[in-house]
Amino acid sequence: MRRLVLLFLLASASSALAYDSGIAVQTEKGTTMQVYVNGKLYNKQPGKFVRVRSAPGLFHLEVKVLNPWNKQWYLVRKDIRVDKGFEFQYKVVFVNKTRPELRKVNQYPVYSRYFLNPSLYNKHPIT
Protein backbone atom coordinates (compact mmCIF):
# COMPACT_ATOMS: atom_id res chain seq x y z
CA MET A 1 0.00 0.00 0.00
CA ARG A 2 2.83 2.39 0.86
CA ARG A 3 4.51 1.72 -2.47
CA LEU A 4 1.30 2.49 -4.32
CA VAL A 5 0.88 5.79 -2.48
CA LEU A 6 4.54 6.70 -3.06
CA LEU A 7 4.25 5.84 -6.75
CA PHE A 8 1.12 7.99 -7.05
CA LEU A 9 2.82 10.95 -5.37
CA LEU A 10 5.87 10.69 -7.63
CA ALA A 11 3.69 10.48 -10.73
CA SER A 12 1.67 13.54 -9.72
CA ALA A 13 4.81 15.53 -8.87
CA SER A 14 6.44 14.74 -12.22
CA SER A 15 3.25 15.62 -14.12
CA ALA A 16 3.22 19.01 -12.37
CA LEU A 17 6.63 19.73 -13.92
CA ALA A 18 5.13 19.20 -17.36
CA TYR A 19 3.45 22.58 -17.13
CA ASP A 20 6.83 24.32 -17.16
CA SER A 21 8.57 25.28 -20.36
CA GLY A 22 11.95 26.61 -21.28
CA ILE A 23 13.89 28.63 -23.82
CA ALA A 24 17.59 28.07 -24.52
CA VAL A 25 19.63 30.35 -26.79
CA GLN A 26 23.21 29.71 -27.89
CA THR A 27 25.65 31.44 -30.22
CA GLU A 28 28.35 30.35 -32.59
CA LYS A 29 31.91 29.97 -31.40
CA GLY A 30 33.63 33.25 -30.57
CA THR A 31 30.49 35.37 -30.14
CA THR A 32 28.72 36.73 -27.07
CA MET A 33 25.12 37.79 -26.54
CA GLN A 34 22.58 39.29 -24.19
CA VAL A 35 19.04 37.88 -24.13
CA TYR A 36 15.85 39.85 -23.53
CA VAL A 37 12.54 38.01 -23.07
CA ASN A 38 9.48 40.28 -23.18
CA GLY A 39 11.76 43.27 -22.62
CA LYS A 40 13.53 41.89 -19.51
CA LEU A 41 17.27 41.28 -19.59
CA TYR A 42 18.15 37.75 -18.45
CA ASN A 43 21.94 37.88 -18.42
CA LYS A 44 23.85 40.99 -17.38
CA GLN A 45 27.22 39.60 -18.47
CA PRO A 46 27.33 38.69 -22.18
CA GLY A 47 27.66 34.94 -22.61
CA LYS A 48 27.49 32.14 -25.15
CA PHE A 49 24.54 30.17 -23.71
CA VAL A 50 21.41 31.33 -21.88
CA ARG A 51 18.64 29.11 -20.56
CA VAL A 52 15.36 30.60 -19.27
CA ARG A 53 12.61 28.69 -17.49
CA SER A 54 9.12 29.99 -18.21
CA ALA A 55 5.44 29.30 -18.45
CA PRO A 56 4.01 28.30 -21.84
CA GLY A 57 2.85 31.05 -24.18
CA LEU A 58 3.96 33.62 -26.74
CA PHE A 59 7.26 35.42 -26.08
CA HIS A 60 9.06 38.32 -27.72
CA LEU A 61 12.68 37.21 -27.81
CA GLU A 62 15.41 39.78 -28.49
CA VAL A 63 19.06 38.78 -28.71
CA LYS A 64 21.79 41.40 -28.74
CA VAL A 65 24.79 39.66 -30.29
CA LEU A 66 28.38 40.73 -31.00
CA ASN A 67 29.58 39.94 -34.51
CA PRO A 68 33.07 38.41 -34.25
CA TRP A 69 34.17 39.61 -37.69
CA ASN A 70 33.34 43.33 -37.57
CA LYS A 71 32.96 43.74 -33.76
CA GLN A 72 29.53 45.39 -33.96
CA TRP A 73 26.45 44.64 -31.86
CA TYR A 74 23.32 43.48 -33.70
CA LEU A 75 19.79 43.03 -32.39
CA VAL A 76 17.79 40.00 -33.56
CA ARG A 77 14.07 39.87 -32.75
CA LYS A 78 11.72 36.93 -33.02
CA ASP A 79 8.28 36.07 -31.64
CA ILE A 80 8.22 32.48 -30.47
CA ARG A 81 5.49 30.24 -29.11
CA VAL A 82 6.51 27.90 -26.30
CA ASP A 83 4.41 24.81 -25.57
CA LYS A 84 4.05 23.31 -22.14
CA GLY A 85 6.32 20.44 -21.30
CA PHE A 86 9.10 21.34 -23.76
CA GLU A 87 12.32 23.31 -23.84
CA PHE A 88 12.93 25.04 -27.15
CA GLN A 89 16.52 25.61 -28.24
CA TYR A 90 17.55 28.40 -30.60
CA LYS A 91 20.90 29.27 -32.13
CA VAL A 92 22.19 32.61 -33.44
CA VAL A 93 23.73 32.00 -36.86
CA PHE A 94 25.55 34.60 -38.95
CA VAL A 95 24.52 34.63 -42.61
CA ASN A 96 27.39 35.77 -44.88
CA LYS A 97 29.34 36.90 -41.77
CA THR A 98 27.24 40.05 -41.48
CA ARG A 99 23.59 39.51 -40.62
CA PRO A 100 22.64 37.39 -37.59
CA GLU A 101 19.61 35.13 -37.67
CA LEU A 102 17.82 33.20 -34.91
CA ARG A 103 17.11 29.57 -35.88
CA LYS A 104 15.26 26.87 -33.99
CA VAL A 105 17.56 23.92 -33.36
CA ASN A 106 15.50 21.41 -31.40
CA GLN A 107 12.98 20.89 -28.65
CA TYR A 108 13.37 18.57 -25.69
CA PRO A 109 10.89 17.37 -23.07
CA VAL A 110 11.18 18.97 -19.64
CA TYR A 111 12.00 15.63 -18.06
CA SER A 112 15.63 15.84 -19.21
CA ARG A 113 18.32 16.18 -16.56
CA TYR A 114 19.20 19.70 -17.73
CA PHE A 115 15.70 21.03 -17.17
CA LEU A 116 15.43 19.62 -13.67
CA ASN A 117 18.68 21.30 -12.53
CA PRO A 118 17.73 24.88 -11.48
CA SER A 119 21.36 26.04 -11.36
CA LEU A 120 21.55 25.83 -15.17
CA TYR A 121 18.91 28.54 -15.64
CA ASN A 122 19.41 32.29 -15.63
CA LYS A 123 17.16 34.00 -13.15
CA HIS A 124 15.90 37.53 -13.55
CA PRO A 125 17.34 39.74 -10.79
CA ILE A 126 13.97 41.44 -10.20
CA THR A 127 11.28 38.92 -9.33
Side-chain angles (χ1 to χ4, degrees), residues 59-73:
F59 294 97
H60 307 289
L61 184 65
E62 294 180 2
V63 179
K64 187 177 178 184
V65 63
L66 179 66
N67 190 331
W69 292 283
N70 61 7
K71 304 297 183 204
Q72 290 184 348
W73 287 94

Side-chain angles (χ1 to χ4, degrees), residues 12-61:
S12 64
S14 65
S15 65
L17 290 174
Y19 293 100
D20 285 338
S21 300
I23 303 167
V25 182
Q26 64 184 5
T27 61
E28 291 180 342
K29 186 177 180 180
T31 61
T32 57
M33 68 175 169
Q34 288 184 320
V35 176
Y36 297 86
V37 178
N38 292 338
K40 295 178 186 175
L41 177 65
Y42 273 86
N43 60 330
K44 287 186 178 181
Q45 298 294 333
K48 295 177 186 348
F49 189 80
V50 175
R51 180 176 270 136
V52 178
R53 203 169 191 175
S54 66
L58 180 66
F59 294 97
H60 307 289
L61 184 65

Side-chain angles (χ1 to χ4, degrees), residues 89-106:
Q89 291 191 347
Y90 290 89
K91 185 172 185 176
V92 178
V93 179
F94 285 94
V95 180
N96 297 331
K97 295 186 179 182
T98 55
R99 192 174 139 249
E101 185 178 290
L102 198 61
R103 293 185 183 167
K104 183 178 176 185
V105 176
N106 211 341

